[in-house]
Amino acid sequence: TMPDILLPVNNSKATLHIFNEEKDTVITSLSSIAQTYEVSIDVVTLINQWQRVDVRSKKYGNISQFISAAKKLMPKKLIAASNIIDYIIDVLSRENKTVSFAESCTGGLLSSSITSISGSSKVFTIGLVTYSNQSKISILKVPKNIIRKHGSVSYETCLAMVKNLSKISKTNLSLSITGIAGPKGGTKKKPIGLVFIGIKKDNKTLIEKYNIMPVRIGDENRINEDIREFQINNLQSEHSISENLLLDAA
């Protein structure tokens, strides 16, 4: 059953988050059951394959039955929660797991997002901002030769960051981020918006590469917000926390 914290605030509206699906697919899949249960839906793409669905009840609508039907339609892809970080904290807390972050280009944005939520101290232990190469070397012990050979924005640096963060923090989950947010610093080989996100869960490590296109050239704040969304997406994914992180279909 869904924990009380995740239940819709009232019977007239609710928020769903659907992962690993395109917007058109979500609209097509949910439109028929929205009509059946007399609710309206508005689908907003937060980042690629992460859709937020704002649900509102019509006069005789039934949002709870709509959510149940949507879960059956999209098992292990749907989270019913207005605040996804709230949800992550709740899941980690219930599973007695801890998390740590090492951020470069986002400058503490992810750490700030999680610490703004009540209860985060139960799960969040360390947030490091290793913005410069020197801080990556001195604090995270990233070998100089890796940065010299591959650059600070690279698969290899991101991997070293997350592995050494895990050693320092001793948390169940560790997440690293390095990228080029702009407005300057991009090259043809490594353009603005190139990001590497690493996540280590126990003995498993995954490094993801993204190319995040800015809304307008030099829009560093928007790129960083998008990078934060990708980090949150990685954090919530079943690869990162547990096979049961996404809401059960029940």
Side-chain angles (χ1 to χ4, degrees):
T1 59
M2 196 186 303
D4 291 342
I5 192 174
L6 302 182
L7 291 173
V9 175
N10 55 51
N11 293 325
S12 65
K13 61 183 179 179
T15 302
L16 311 180
H17 294 268
I18 296 173
F19 299 89
N20 302 318
E21 290 287 1
E22 298 295 341
K23 181 176 181 177
D24 289 347
T25 303
V26 171
I27 293 172
T28 302
S29 300
L30 296 185
S31 290
S32 59
I33 59 173
Q35 188 173 4
T36 299
Y37 296 108
E38 296 191 55
V39 301
S40 64
I41 59 171
D42 181 29
V43 182
V44 178
T45 301
L46 297 182
I47 57 172
N48 185 38
Q49 295 199 326
W50 177 0
Q51 316 300 331
R52 189 190 74 221
V53 183
D54 296 317
V55 187
R56 287 189 176 274
S57 175
K58 296 178 182 178
K59 189 173 182 180
Y60 300 107
N62 192 318
I63 284 184
S64 61
Q65 288 187 7
F66 169 77
I67 292 175
S68 295
K71 286 185 200 174
K72 290 176 182 177
L73 198 62
M74 297 181 167
K76 293 197 173 182
K77 290 185 177 182
L78 185 151
I79 292 173
S82 57
N83 188 316
I84 204 70
I85 300 179
D86 248 336
Y87 172 81
I88 291 170
I89 291 171
D90 183 70
V91 172
L92 288 171
S93 181
R94 284 189 280 118
E95 295 187 356
N96 293 313
K97 291 187 176 179
T98 53
V99 64
S100 57
F101 305 141
E103 301 179 63
S104 183
C105 59
T106 46
L109 188 60
L110 185 60
S111 297
S112 176
S113 296
I114 198 168
T115 55
S116 67
I117 303 297
S118 176
S120 60
S121 60
K122 295 177 184 176
V123 301
F124 181 57
T125 64
I126 295 176
L128 300 176
V129 179
T130 52
Y131 202 74
S132 67
N133 286 348
Q134 186 56 46
S135 65
K136 291 178 181 67
I137 294 165
S138 61
I139 297 173
L140 282 176
K141 308 302 180 187
V142 176
K144 287 183 181 180
N145 65 310
I146 285 182
I147 294 178
R148 191 180 301 117
K149 183 176 180 180
H150 302 285
S152 59
V153 180
S154 63
Y155 175 99
E156 291 79 7
T157 295
C158 189
L159 178 62
M161 286 172 68
V162 77
K163 281 188 171 182
N164 291 335
L165 171 64
S166 180
K167 291 177 184 177
I168 293 167
S169 66
K170 311 219 180 304
T171 51
N172 303 103
L173 288 162
S174 298
L175 190 147
S176 65
I177 170 75
T178 182
I180 303 171
K184 297 180 180 179
T187 64
K188 194 169 184 179
K189 189 175 180 181
K190 293 185 178 182
I192 292 171
L194 174 65
V195 176
F196 291 90
I197 297 175
I199 192 152
K200 188 173 188 300
K201 178 197 170 189
D202 301 325
N203 294 321
K204 295 180 181 179
T205 306
L206 176 69
I207 308 296
E208 295 276 13
K209 177 183 176 181
Y210 299 100
N211 285 287
I212 301 170
M213 295 299 295
V215 176
R216 57 182 183 273
I217 299 299
D219 193 350
E220 181 180 5
N221 290 335
R222 181 62 257 170
I223 290 178
N224 272 331
E225 287 290 339
D226 286 347
I227 294 170
R228 182 185 73 105
E229 302 299 339
F230 275 102
Q231 289 173 304
I232 294 168
N233 185 21
N234 280 11
L235 189 58
Q236 68 75 32
S237 73
E238 55 189 332
H239 296 294
S240 305
I241 296 180
S242 77
E243 290 71 26
N244 299 318
L245 176 58
L246 297 181
L247 286 178
D248 295 334

